[in-house]
Amino acid sequence: MAIFMLAFLAGCLAPDRVVYGPRAAATASIEGFGNIRIYADSNRQLPEDSDWLPVPSGKEVNYLVLSGGGSGGAFGVGILKAWTENGDRPEFDIVSGVSTGALIAPFAFLGAAYDDTLVDLYTSGVAEKLIDADFLPKGLLGPSLLKQEPLRKMVERYITRETLAKIAAEHRKGRRLLVLTSNLDSLRAVIWNMGAIADSGRPDALKLFQDIIIASASMPGIFPAVLIKAKSGGQEFEEMHSDGGSASSILTIPDGWMADPEKGAWPKNTKVNMYIIVNNTLIPEFSTTTNNTLAVMARASSALIRAQTRSALVATYLYAQKTGIRVHMASIDTQIPYDVTDPFNTSYMRTVYKLGYARTASGNLWKDKPLFPEKLPVAQPIEMKP
């Protein structure tokens, strides 16, 4: 009876959606925007137009990959800040972002001038305002535990028309900004060409850009999924998009390309440097797990994400060995206490920020192989240089 009542209440609280089928899903597009997205698992080449592959200004392509990891995104922000101060941070020809990496990606793409914006976003405490929970039963049976409004307001505050215009200008120079979401209807990862969206000139471009960032950063069940209007033939409907990390915590090379290295060849005589920042730990973190449903689910989810990330790094590394891409990897390599019930804790975010900053400032950050030690040191106080 209890299970029946829960199912009944969930059905009552769920909003109605237009029903559409797999054929419509396979051919759906965002009306008026052209080829702004592809499925990551597609075996087809990228669209023929030149909006996808970068147009390098020199003989090297610098590719920055920003992973998911929630509040661990502060680690990547610390890296970017110290990298700028070290004086050897390149201008990236491609930047990709997943989940929290999607929040960072537009500003990393625009360069060092936005470092302080990212530092404010990840260390000032503003992220704690994202905690706005729905009361039971709506929180458990509705679209999510937390409300979307705080996250949307944050994205709208930082991603403005001015930001969009600057991204469009860089896109026209040949640089590329990519973000990953998960299409929950099709169970497929979607790569969005954010620069092409910004450069579309459409009045609804800002809203679509913001929706994609919000969707990619919306952890399933924690934040509600985002409905994005699409069209196939004469049918209009809304696709449901959520955390890109559900499909892959990093966006490096589309799966179809990895399976066939002859596809998507880079420009001849061009060296590719890929910098992968994993905003998470990839080695064992011991913690006695409380024997209750939520704690067990959280630990299992953490194990799944780490295994998925490590597999993606190994696949990227093997592809890079075949194609000559030079891979540099970084991840959180210190066990830092984390409370799953307080996901945007400012103290935690400042600690991982300082870790990323310190590792980069000392020149002890990048690894060239996906090898991870079995023992993880416990965090010690970290000092930033003035």
Side-chain angles (χ1 to χ4, degrees), residues 316-357:
T316 299
Y317 175 75
L318 294 176
Y319 175 87
Q321 294 297 296
K322 294 179 182 178
T323 57
I325 296 176
R326 292 176 290 188
V327 177
H328 313 273
M329 308 175 187
S331 61
I332 298 174
D333 60 359
T334 300
Q335 183 165 345
I336 300 170
Y338 177 79
D339 184 356
V340 71
T341 65
D342 188 13
F344 303 109
N345 180 275
T346 301
S347 177
Y348 172 81
M349 295 174 78
R350 288 174 179 170
T351 301
V352 294
Y353 168 84
K354 291 177 182 179
L355 178 66
Y357 185 102

Side-chain angles (χ1 to χ4, degrees), residues 89-294:
R89 173 178 165 179
E91 179 180 76
F92 302 109
D93 300 283
I94 317 177
V95 176
S96 74
V98 179
S99 197
T100 194
L103 290 172
I104 301 170
F107 306 106
F109 180 76
L110 290 176
Y114 285 84
D115 284 354
D116 289 341
T117 298
L118 286 172
V119 173
D120 178 70
L121 183 59
Y122 279 85
T123 67
S124 68
V126 66
E128 290 190 346
K129 297 178 182 178
L130 296 176
I131 303 297
D132 187 1
D134 275 320
F135 291 103
L136 294 173
K138 186 177 180 182
L140 287 177
L141 303 178
S144 63
L145 293 175
L146 301 182
K147 298 176 182 178
Q148 187 189 82
E149 287 75 10
L151 177 58
R152 180 168 291 278
K153 287 180 180 178
M154 178 181 290
V155 170
E156 290 175 349
R157 172 187 170 188
Y158 288 95
I159 302 291
T160 63
R161 291 202 176 276
E162 180 184 2
T163 310
L164 205 69
K166 291 180 179 180
I167 290 171
E170 295 304 313
H171 178 78
R172 290 193 292 272
K173 293 178 184 178
R175 301 175 63 218
R176 303 293 174 245
L177 174 62
L178 309 174
V179 164
L180 192 76
T181 66
S182 297
N183 184 327
L184 297 183
D185 296 327
S186 299
L187 293 181
R188 301 180 78 183
V190 182
I191 303 173
W192 297 84
N193 189 331
M194 304 301 280
I197 294 171
D199 194 37
S200 66
R202 292 184 56 86
D204 52 348
L206 178 61
K207 174 67 163 52
L208 178 60
F209 194 103
Q210 293 169 340
D211 281 349
I212 294 166
I213 296 292
I214 293 167
S216 185
S218 293
M219 294 174 282
I222 305 300
F223 289 104
V226 176
L227 297 175
I228 296 178
K229 293 181 180 179
K231 188 174 183 180
S232 179
Q235 185 181 14
E236 296 182 353
F237 46 85
E238 291 178 318
E239 298 174 339
M240 181 175 283
H241 289 261
S242 185
D243 188 357
S246 299
S248 177
S249 59
I250 57 173
L251 171 56
T252 56
I253 307 295
D255 297 347
W257 285 25
M258 288 196 194
D260 185 357
E262 298 301 319
K263 288 180 179 277
W266 300 93
K268 291 183 179 180
N269 301 319
T270 300
K271 295 181 179 179
V272 180
N273 303 306
M274 184 182 293
Y275 300 93
I276 305 175
I277 298 177
V278 178
N279 297 301
N280 210 332
T281 54
L282 298 175
I283 44 186
E285 282 187 300
F286 180 82
S287 176
T288 303
T289 305
T290 304
N291 193 13
N292 66 48
T293 302
L294 293 179

